[in-house]
Amino acid sequence: MAFPAFFHEAPRIVLYDPLAQMLGASDDGQIEYGYEDAVRLAGHSCPTVAGAWLMTVKALQALYPDSLPQRGDILVEFADVATNGVTGVIANVVCLITGATTDTGFKGLAGQHDRRYLLKFDQSMAGEIRFTRRDTGTSVEVSYSAQGVPGSPAAMPLLQRILSGQADAAQQQEFGALWQDRVRRILEAHDQPGLISLSWVKSAAHA
């Protein structure tokens, strides 16, 4: 099995995870994540997964301009409830990168490295997701809109044929190619105005 080449070419991010270093999973605690890791987690590649990936990478790059983001020390809050729409899919990708969990994560050792209660939903904010550094209280909010990177007009009719069992092998392959072409264009447009909106939160109330 081979992923499309653009998966590896998408923006990547390196984080420092002190728990990984302490337990010997990484000799220096540094772990690199790529878009293909998000695809492995989600089991598929789509505009939602791409958007979750880019929102998280952009937010962490903004929060940690001069150092590596520290995995497990980032509070993540969503404006939406966990079960609404694709919020859960996005949250899974965010959790992969940041280590933040609700009450199901690692409980820590002697009060350290607790990954629980760092993920919250149904929170009041202007953006879609708020990321907060727990060491400084600095926060950014991000939102995502892929309207500026439209899909092929042929994609949805092909999808309807697939779902109704009427598509042949060539049509299924064509749909997959068109679908991933849009994902590729979204990832390549990561600096395009309007795709990822980021704003700083002045209040440190969520530190």
Side-chain angles (χ1 to χ4, degrees):
M1 187 186 95
F3 285 140
F6 74 83
F7 282 15
H8 188 75
E9 296 166 0
R12 307 179 71 81
I13 189 167
V14 178
L15 292 91
Y16 171 65
D17 191 326
L19 179 62
Q21 183 176 22
M22 184 184 72
L23 297 180
S26 170
D27 59 356
D28 59 2
Q30 295 186 22
I31 303 177
E32 182 180 71
Y33 291 89
Y35 179 66
E36 61 270 27
D37 295 314
V39 173
R40 291 187 180 99
L41 174 72
H44 67 282
S45 170
C46 69
T48 294
V49 174
W53 176 260
L54 291 177
M55 281 192 287
T56 307
V57 170
K58 294 290 186 182
L60 296 186
Q61 288 175 339
L63 283 175
Y64 296 84
D66 302 315
S67 61
L68 295 180
Q70 182 163 322
R71 192 171 188 272
D73 200 36
I74 303 161
L75 174 65
V76 182
E77 298 166 284
F78 281 76
D80 215 339
V81 296
T83 56
N84 191 45
V86 294
T87 301
V89 176
I90 296 171
N92 286 340
V93 175
V94 174
C95 294
L96 167 72
I97 304 171
T98 65
T101 69
T102 53
D103 58 354
T104 58
F106 183 62
K107 297 180 179 180
L109 297 168
Q112 302 177 50
H113 309 296
D114 192 337
R115 304 293 168 89
R116 299 172 301 166
Y117 312 114
L118 296 178
L119 180 64
K120 300 180 180 180
F121 298 92
D122 197 19
Q123 303 295 302
S124 177
M125 67 183 77
E128 292 180 33
I129 314 174
R130 180 165 52 227
F131 295 79
T132 301
R133 287 182 60 162
R134 297 175 71 219
D135 58 343
T136 65
T138 307
S139 299
V140 294
E141 292 182 4
V142 291
S143 299
Y144 165 66
S145 174
Q147 291 183 353
V149 189
S152 168
M156 294 314 294
L158 285 169
L159 177 59
Q160 291 172 1
R161 290 188 64 84
I162 292 171
L163 295 177
S164 65
Q166 299 176 354
D168 58 27
Q171 291 172 322
Q172 293 181 37
Q173 186 174 14
E174 180 184 3
F175 169 76
L178 292 174
W179 187 262
Q180 291 309 313
D181 179 69
R182 186 185 184 204
V183 175
R184 175 188 61 78
R185 289 184 287 113
I186 288 171
L187 292 170
E188 289 179 348
H190 60 88
D191 285 330
Q192 176 178 302
L195 186 74
I196 304 295
S197 301
L198 185 148
S199 60
W200 293 92
V201 179
K202 294 183 179 179
S203 173
H206 297 274

